Amino acid sequence: MSRICVVYHSGYGHTKAQADAVADGARSVPDTEVHQIPVQHIEAYWEQLHAADALIFGTPTYMGTVSA
């Protein structure tokens, strides 16, 4: 089984919509477990992050670069 974490920061909801689409696509692959993690709640997900086979990060760029 593959484990994927989609970690995202979304100020206005646009990046969350993209994270939802990425997570839905990953879930369509058989034997894949996907966790969507808003970055402000990342402290509660250390075990899932450590066990993940892949980490996908989503961030808005309206600040001129990726968000911190």
Side-chain angles (χ1 to χ4, degrees), residues 16 43 45 58 62:
K16 182 185 181 316
E43 298 292 328
Y45 292 92
Y62 57 80

Side-chain angles (χ1 to χ4, degrees), residues 1-6 22-36 52-56:
M1 172 181 284
S2 296
R3 294 181 180 99
I4 299 173
C5 290
V6 179
V22 169
D24 289 344
R27 283 188 190 100
S28 72
V29 177
D31 296 321
T32 302
E33 177 182 313
V34 179
H35 296 279
Q36 278 184 259
D53 298 306
L55 301 175
I56 301 171

Side-chain angles (χ1 to χ4, degrees), residues 3-63:
R3 294 181 180 99
I4 299 173
C5 290
V6 179
V7 182
Y8 64 91
H9 169 243
S10 186
Y12 296 103
H14 301 97
T15 306
K16 182 185 181 316
Q18 291 295 313
D20 291 343
V22 169
D24 289 344
R27 283 188 190 100
S28 72
V29 177
D31 296 321
T32 302
E33 177 182 313
V34 179
H35 296 279
Q36 278 184 259
I37 305 169
V39 75
Q40 62 268 28
H41 301 296
I42 202 163
E43 298 292 328
Y45 292 92
W46 288 123
E47 289 181 30
Q48 287 87 349
L49 292 166
H50 182 70
D53 298 306
L55 301 175
I56 301 171
F57 294 98
T59 180
T61 57
Y62 57 80
M63 297 173 215

